[in-house]
Amino acid sequence: MPQAQSRSAADGVFDGDGKGPFPLSPSLWAATAGTAPPTEALAGAASADVLVIGGGYAGLSTALHLAERGVNVVVLEAQQIGFGGSGRNGGQVIPGLKYDPDELLAHYGPERGEQVIHFAGRTADIVFDLIERHGMDVPRTRAGWIQGAHTPQALALAHKRAAQWARRGVDTRPLDRAQVGALLGTDKYLGGWMDTRAGAIQPLSYVRGLARAAMNAGARVHTASPVTDLRRDGGTWIATTVSGATVAADRVVMCTNAYGAGLWPGLKPTIIDANTFQVATQPLPEDVRAGILPQGQVCSDTRNLLLYFRQDHQGRLLMGGRGPFREPRSVADWRHLERVMVKMFPRVAGVPFEFRWCGRVAITRDYLPHLHEPEPGLLIDIGCQGRGVGLQTAMGKAMADYIVTGSAASLPVPLSPIKPFPLYGLRRVYVNAVVTWYRLTDGGV
């Protein structure tokens, strides 16, 4: 098997302290997170019942739920806890998937569709339950998610979406223009809907909390231990790290998403590792803060190139959205988000921007999460679609159940073969073409 290609600051991938090809301040999350549990690189040879590759939400949730059931688990993380998408996202905990319940039923069929809907509807619950159960030091709110609609067609779809979840007993609320304006503090949307199951967390504090909980349960977590080779020797899997240290395990769970898909042949071309950019202001003055998302909801909208925003626990306003597919070259790569924020919320004009950061999202061909088992004993989880906080935490719990019980009914989606994007080598060309088209069709703010 070919060795995995490592990614580093020299490749333009920033670590949690903002290091990269040009000077950047730390991300907001790196600057405000609780401390990480002490970890070390793997040294020598180790063995385990299950090896988990990737120390993000999915990997650490898998390790935690396995360790709690007495399974001997080792986690190998290439960088530090939260280096990838788990420490770079917007901290919005939104249940559900990109598809509505009726669409999931049509896609998966009645029995599996109901299972997927039930799974997707509980993802936020699992996050907040874990935080409470393990006493994690994670700033959080749970006031709901608002999806703002930018066109009449999108508004009709948003209200239809709210009705579908309401029929399943979820507390959803269709919103008109005045209601959305009052809840968000901007007049840029025609209406929308609210899902009260959702909330917000400090995402890096949360993934560090997961690591600490997994270690307290008995999992061995090693950082700075990138896996460069993964192969099966008889009935045993052998993972070799860049230092030459090894782990021998009966089972392997690979949870690297956009930051390590090159480890297994053919996996990386199954995703588009799009880059999402974010900015955050300094803490807003009290009179400004009171008029923007005054009830504490989080928001993302119906644009194809969606905008997402919230306040953090210290009163900063965050705005996230599209950015270059490449890694950033200067602060100019965030200017479009800074302009959009001021257009949407004129009262923030003059408040300095304090943080700028970005991170990659694993987008699959059908915008659904995928589970692969290309060889006996190897389970691969990939695809977060921008809802990774809840989705990947819940996926880790489900994968742990599958490993312990051996029942595929434990998995929320069926195991599927690895299928690459067509013309993957041209992905930057067609991604840029799609982005250009979406800019034209989404309209301005």
Side-chain angles (χ1 to χ4, degrees):
M1 179 185 300
Q3 291 190 348
Q5 295 190 3
S6 63
R7 304 180 75 180
S8 65
D11 300 315
V13 179
F14 302 111
D15 66 17
D17 295 322
K19 296 176 183 178
F22 65 95
L24 281 178
S25 62
S27 75
L28 168 60
W29 309 132
T32 63
T35 58
T39 57
E40 296 178 348
L42 179 68
S47 63
D49 297 329
V50 179
L51 166 64
V52 176
I53 302 175
Y57 299 135
L60 292 169
S61 176
T62 303
L64 168 61
H65 287 98
L66 285 173
E68 287 181 328
R69 297 170 78 164
V71 178
N72 182 358
V73 185
V74 168
V75 179
L76 296 181
E77 161 57 39
Q79 304 284 341
Q80 298 300 318
I81 299 300
F83 170 84
S86 297
R88 301 165 187 259
N89 64 82
Q92 298 193 14
V93 189
I94 304 172
L97 299 172
K98 293 294 186 182
Y99 294 97
D100 299 326
D102 289 355
E103 293 172 311
L104 292 173
L105 286 174
H107 181 82
Y108 287 108
E111 184 175 350
R112 175 64 79 167
E114 289 292 349
Q115 183 179 356
V116 174
I117 293 166
H118 177 74
F119 167 82
R122 293 195 62 250
T123 57
D125 292 338
I126 291 173
V127 171
F128 290 104
D129 288 350
L130 282 174
I131 292 172
E132 292 293 336
R133 180 157 61 91
H134 292 280
M136 298 180 193
D137 182 16
V138 179
R140 60 198 180 275
T141 61
R142 198 173 186 185
W145 165 62
I146 295 170
Q147 186 176 39
H150 71 297
T151 66
Q153 295 80 9
L155 179 59
L157 180 61
H159 286 180
K160 179 181 177 182
R161 183 168 291 143
Q164 287 188 36
W165 282 109
R167 287 197 298 269
R168 294 176 171 275
V170 176
D171 181 11
T172 64
R173 302 169 193 176
L175 303 171
D176 61 24
R177 185 166 197 157
Q179 291 169 317
V180 162
L183 288 168
L184 299 184
T186 180
D187 61 0
K188 299 301 183 181
Y189 296 108
L190 303 180
W193 74 293
M194 183 194 301
D195 185 339
T196 60
R197 298 171 295 180
I201 60 170
Q202 212 285 15
L204 185 55
S205 289
Y206 171 55
V207 72
R208 289 177 174 177
L210 277 177
R212 182 173 283 106
M215 294 168 69
N216 288 341
R220 290 168 285 163
V221 178
H222 295 281
T223 52
S225 301
V227 176
T228 56
D229 186 72
L230 178 65
R231 64 183 67 247
R232 194 153 59 105
D233 183 6
T236 301
W237 284 91
I238 306 295
T240 304
T241 70
V242 69
S243 70
T246 61
V247 176
D250 299 328
R251 303 284 297 268
V252 175
V253 183
M254 183 174 163
C255 307
T256 57
N257 262 304
Y259 283 85
L263 178 60
W264 188 257
L267 184 63
K268 187 172 183 179
T270 68
I271 60 167
I272 298 294
D273 52 343
N275 218 350
T276 182
F277 282 57
Q278 296 173 72
V279 297
T281 65
Q282 290 183 355
L284 300 175
E286 285 299 326
D287 59 329
V288 176
R289 181 178 183 178
I292 299 175
L293 295 160
Q295 296 183 24
Q297 286 87 9
V298 301
C299 182
S300 58
D301 65 22
T302 54
R303 290 176 170 84
N304 289 301
L305 300 176
L306 64 82
L307 298 169
Y308 54 98
F309 47 92
R310 56 169 283 207
Q311 286 196 39
D312 81 336
H313 59 290
Q314 296 177 340
R316 298 175 182 85
L317 183 60
L318 286 68
M319 176 71 71
R322 64 169 177 84
F325 191 88
R326 57 169 172 77
E327 294 299 328
R329 295 171 181 163
S330 75
V331 294
D333 286 323
W334 284 269
R335 294 295 186 221
H336 62 294
L337 291 174
E338 297 173 8
R339 291 192 294 267
V340 165
M341 184 187 287
V342 174
K343 285 183 179 179
M344 292 186 66
F345 303 101
R347 68 193 76 187
V348 305
V351 178
F353 287 91
E354 188 174 6
F355 297 99
R356 301 171 181 88
W357 72 100
C358 60
R360 294 199 175 272
V361 179
I363 301 172
T364 60
R365 294 176 63 176
D366 55 9
Y367 298 98
L368 288 168
H370 284 257
L371 293 172
H372 307 300
E373 200 168 54
E375 292 190 22
L378 173 62
L379 181 63
I380 299 175
D381 163 47
I382 198 158
C384 56
Q385 332 303 334
R387 296 197 181 187
V389 181
L391 171 61
Q392 295 301 327
T393 299
M395 192 65 82
K397 182 177 185 297
M399 290 190 294
D401 288 342
Y402 172 63
I403 289 170
V404 170
T405 66
S407 172
S410 301
L411 298 175
V413 296
L415 294 166
S416 60
I418 295 174
K419 293 183 179 179
F421 270 90
L423 302 175
Y424 179 75
L426 299 176
R427 68 194 184 283
R428 296 197 180 203
V429 175
Y430 59 69
V431 166
N432 288 335
V434 169
V435 167
T436 300
W437 172 249
Y438 282 164
R439 281 200 202 108
L440 295 173
T441 56
D442 279 341
V445 174

